[in-house]
Amino acid sequence: MVMSQSKPSPNYSERESHSDAEKLWSAESEHKTRRKIDLSVLPLLLLGMTVFQLDRMNIASALTGGFGQDIHIDQTTVNLGNQLMFLGIIVLEIPSNIVLQKIGPDKWIPAQVLVFGIIATFQIFLRNRTDFLVVRSLLGLAEAGYIPASLYTLSTWYEKTELAKRVGIFFFGMFGGNAISPLLGAAILKLDGHHGLKGWQWIFLIEGIFTISAALLILLLLPQSPSNPRPCLLRRGVISFSPEDRDILRTRTTRSDSDSDRESDSPEKALSSPTSSIKRALLNYRRWPHFLLAPCVFSTWSPLTTYTPTIIMSLGFTRIQSNALTAIGATLALPLVFLFSYISDRTAKRGLTVIAAVTCYLLVLIVCRCLLPHVEGKWNRFGLWTVINAFAVCYHPVHNTWLQLNCPHRSERRVMASNAGLMGGSQIFQQKDSPIYLTGLVVMIALVAGALVLAIGQEVIYLRVNSRARRMGSSQVYVS
C-alpha cells in the first residue's frame, strides 16, 4: 500500500486528500484483481459446466439419430436410465464433498470432469438395455460433486455482492451446453456411417473427447485458492496473481465473512466437517421452502432436455432440423437467465426476483397447455415448445444465489436439492402421452404452481424473521 509522505504538520484537508487517493488506488487495484479472477477461475468452471451438460444431455440428439432403436430400448427405459443417473448424483453428493475436503477443489474438480468424460465416451459401446442403465448410473455417480464443488469455489473467490452475477454466468455453462448440444448433434449426425460408426456413436465419441480435453485444461490452469492463487501443476497460470493481488484476495476473504464464520482459504480448514455443515443446513427449518422449491421447478426441465428434439421431429421436421430448432429455445433461455440475474443484483430483491421468474414460467406453461390442442401447423406448435424451453430455467441461478446468500457458513452452500427434482422429472413425459404430452404439461403446471407458493412462503419467512430481529435491535439476518 502507498504510504503517506506528509509534512511534519499536515492540515486536515491534506490528510483527507491523501485518504481519498488511497481509497481510489485500493478500489482500482481490487477491480484489477477481481478481473483476474473473472479471467481465470470463472471461465474454467464455466467450461467444466458446459461439458458437464453436454455429456448429460446429448442423449436427446442421439435419440433422434436412432439410438433407441439400435440398442433396443423404449421411452420407459430412457426415463429409467435418466432417473438412475440423477440418483447416482444424489447418492454420491455428500461423499464427494468429503473428498473435496481432503484434496481441494483444484484437484477434485478436474478429476471429476476427466472421469465423467471417459464414461461418456464409452457410451459408443452400448449394445442393449443393461449396458445403457449401467453406464447412465456410472455417469451420475461421476458427476455427483461437480456443481456443489464449483459453487463453493466461487463463494471463496467472490464477495456476496458479486456472487449472483457470477453464479448466473456459471450456470450459463449448463444452459449454454443445453443450447449447443442440439446444434452439435445436428452437425455430428451427418457423420452417420463414417468409419463404421452410427451418428449417435459419433456424438458420444466427439463430445466425450472434448470433455476429457477440458479436464486436462482445468487441471493445468485452475488456481488452487485465494491464499495460493497459482495452478497445482504449473509455476504460474495464464493469468498471474502478483503479491499485491494476494494481499487483496486475503483482505476480500476476511471482509466477505462474518466474525463467526471466518474460515481459512486452505481446503483443509475451509472445507471442514461437511457432514455437520449439511446437517446444520437441513435442520434450519426457515430454509426448507428453498430445498422444496428447487426440485419442484427443476424437475420440469428434465423431460424438456431429453425429449424436445423428438417432440419437434414428431411435428414433421427432419432429425437434423429438429436438433437445430431445439437450440432456439435453449438459446433464448440465456438472455432471460442473465436478465433475471441482473435484476436480482440491481435491486438486491432476491426473493421477489425469484417469484417473478417462477410466475413468468407458470403463465407460459398455462398458456401453452391451453393452446397446443387447438393450434394448427408445425411451426405454431414449434413456437409454443420453444417458449416453454426459453422460460424453464430463468429462475434457477437467482434462486441458487438467494439460497447461498442466506447460508451463513460457506460450507453449507454445497447442499443441493435440484438433482432430486431432475430424477423425479424424468418420468413426467410418458410414451402413452406422446407426442404432445398434454398430461405431462398439466403435471408441470402443478409443480411450478407449488414452487410459486413455496417462493412466496420463503420470502414471507425471511421478512418476518428480519422484522423481529430489527425490533430486538439486531442486524438483518436473512437476505429477502
Side-chain angles (χ1 to χ4, degrees):
M1 181 172 293
V2 177
M3 301 299 295
S4 174
Q5 301 294 328
S6 58
K7 298 177 182 179
S9 301
N11 58 37
Y12 175 81
S13 62
E14 287 174 333
R15 293 196 302 269
E16 183 179 43
S17 175
H18 172 72
S19 176
D20 290 341
E22 180 176 307
K23 289 180 181 179
L24 179 62
W25 177 87
S26 298
E28 290 177 349
S29 299
E30 183 172 351
H31 175 76
K32 292 178 180 178
T33 303
R34 185 170 59 245
R35 182 62 59 189
K36 289 183 178 182
I37 303 172
D38 290 338
L39 295 175
S40 58
V41 178
L42 187 57
L44 291 170
L45 296 179
L46 177 66
L47 174 62
M49 190 60 154
T50 301
V51 297
F52 172 95
Q53 187 65 14
L54 286 177
D55 289 341
R56 176 190 282 189
M57 296 305 176
N58 55 15
I59 187 176
S61 298
L63 287 171
T64 64
F67 171 67
Q69 295 89 332
D70 288 343
I71 69 169
H72 312 293
I73 62 172
D74 57 14
Q75 186 168 336
T76 301
T77 302
V78 173
N79 290 346
L80 177 59
N82 285 341
Q83 278 194 303
L84 290 174
M85 180 181 69
F86 293 121
L87 177 62
I89 293 174
I90 294 170
V91 167
L92 279 193
E93 190 168 57
I94 293 177
S96 293
N97 286 330
I98 296 175
V99 177
L100 178 69
Q101 170 190 352
K102 299 296 183 182
I103 67 176
D106 59 301
K107 302 180 186 68
W108 181 230
I109 288 176
Q112 289 179 96
V113 178
L114 178 63
V115 172
F116 68 66
I118 293 172
I119 293 173
T121 304
F122 271 81
Q123 291 179 105
I124 65 173
F125 300 114
L126 296 181
R127 292 294 180 268
N128 52 50
R129 182 178 186 271
T130 301
D131 292 349
F132 173 73
L133 295 178
V134 169
V135 170
R136 294 303 278 183
S137 299
L138 292 175
L139 188 61
L141 293 171
E143 291 180 341
Y146 181 77
I147 294 179
S150 296
L151 291 176
Y152 173 79
T153 301
L154 289 175
S155 73
T156 62
W157 286 89
Y158 291 104
E159 294 186 296
K160 286 186 176 183
T161 55
E162 305 161 351
L163 191 59
K165 187 179 297 183
R166 272 70 182 188
V167 169
I169 294 172
F170 170 72
F171 276 105
F172 262 52
M174 174 179 282
F175 309 134
N178 193 48
I180 295 170
S181 183
L183 288 177
L184 288 176
I188 297 173
L189 283 174
K190 294 180 180 180
L191 296 175
D192 187 31
H194 282 62
H195 300 287
L197 295 179
K198 300 280 190 177
W200 58 265
Q201 290 177 306
W202 279 110
I203 289 175
F204 292 139
L205 177 62
I206 292 175
E207 295 185 7
I209 292 174
F210 179 47
T211 301
I212 293 171
S213 301
L216 297 176
L217 189 64
I218 295 170
L219 178 64
L220 288 174
L221 299 180
L222 183 65
Q224 295 181 57
S225 70
S227 63
N228 185 19
R230 71 174 184 85
C232 177
L233 299 182
L234 300 178
R235 185 176 182 84
R236 52 177 292 177
V238 175
I239 305 297
S240 178
F241 289 86
S242 66
E244 180 186 344
D245 292 325
R246 299 186 183 204
D247 290 339
I248 293 173
L249 288 172
R250 281 191 289 268
T251 301
R252 283 165 53 85
T253 301
T254 303
R255 191 171 64 204
S256 65
D257 290 327
S258 63
D259 290 339
S260 62
D261 188 42
R262 286 183 180 174
E263 304 174 51
S264 169
D265 285 313
S266 65
E268 294 79 11
K269 293 182 180 180
L271 302 174
S272 61
S273 304
T275 304
S276 61
S277 299
I278 293 170
K279 181 179 178 180
R280 181 170 58 242
L282 293 178
L283 289 180
N284 187 335
Y285 67 91
R286 294 186 180 92
R287 291 201 293 266
W288 284 358
H290 277 304
F291 298 115
L292 295 174
L293 187 162
C296 278
V297 188
F298 220 42
S299 64
T300 67
W301 196 50
S302 180
L304 292 173
T305 56
T306 302
Y307 293 114
T308 295
T310 307
I311 292 170
I312 294 176
M313 191 164 68
S314 72
L315 300 178
F317 296 98
T318 67
R319 66 181 185 181
I320 303 297
Q321 290 172 334
S322 300
N323 281 286
L325 291 172
T326 298
I328 296 177
T331 302
L332 290 175
L334 300 181
L336 287 172
V337 166
F338 183 82
L339 173 64
F340 283 105
S341 295
Y342 173 80
I343 293 172
S344 172
D345 276 348
R346 185 74 173 177
T347 64
K349 300 293 183 181
R350 316 292 181 178
L352 293 180
T353 307
V354 171
I355 291 170
V358 174
T359 300
C360 288
Y361 183 33
L362 178 60
L363 293 175
V364 165
L365 285 173
I366 293 172
V367 171
C368 290
R369 172 59 180 81
C370 293
L371 292 179
L372 271 172
H374 307 293
V375 297
E376 299 292 339
K378 63 181 183 180
W379 286 106
N380 290 330
R381 290 192 171 186
F382 158 73
L384 293 176
W385 282 106
T386 297
V387 174
I388 291 174
N389 276 273
F391 279 88
V393 291
C394 60
Y395 87 102
H396 186 64
V398 178
H399 174 257
N400 193 285
T401 302
W402 189 26
L403 172 59
Q404 290 195 51
L405 291 177
N406 284 301
C407 291
H409 298 273
R410 290 190 308 202
S411 53
E412 293 180 40
R413 299 169 195 167
R414 292 167 288 173
V415 178
M416 303 288 288
S418 299
N419 286 311
L422 291 173
M423 184 180 71
S426 299
Q427 294 290 349
I428 291 177
F429 285 180
Q430 295 291 323
Q431 178 102 35
K432 61 184 179 182
D433 194 30
S434 64
I436 306 180
Y437 299 107
L438 295 179
T439 302
L441 286 172
V442 172
V443 174
M444 291 167 67
I445 289 171
L447 288 167
V448 177
L452 179 59
V453 173
L454 289 167
I456 295 172
Q458 185 69 82
E459 176 75 356
V460 171
I461 289 173
Y462 285 160
L463 290 175
R464 292 186 62 181
V465 171
N466 292 341
S467 176
R468 188 182 305 117
R470 284 192 292 269
R471 287 198 303 270
M472 297 175 63
S474 176
S475 59
Q476 185 171 342
V477 179
Y478 291 106
V479 177
S480 61

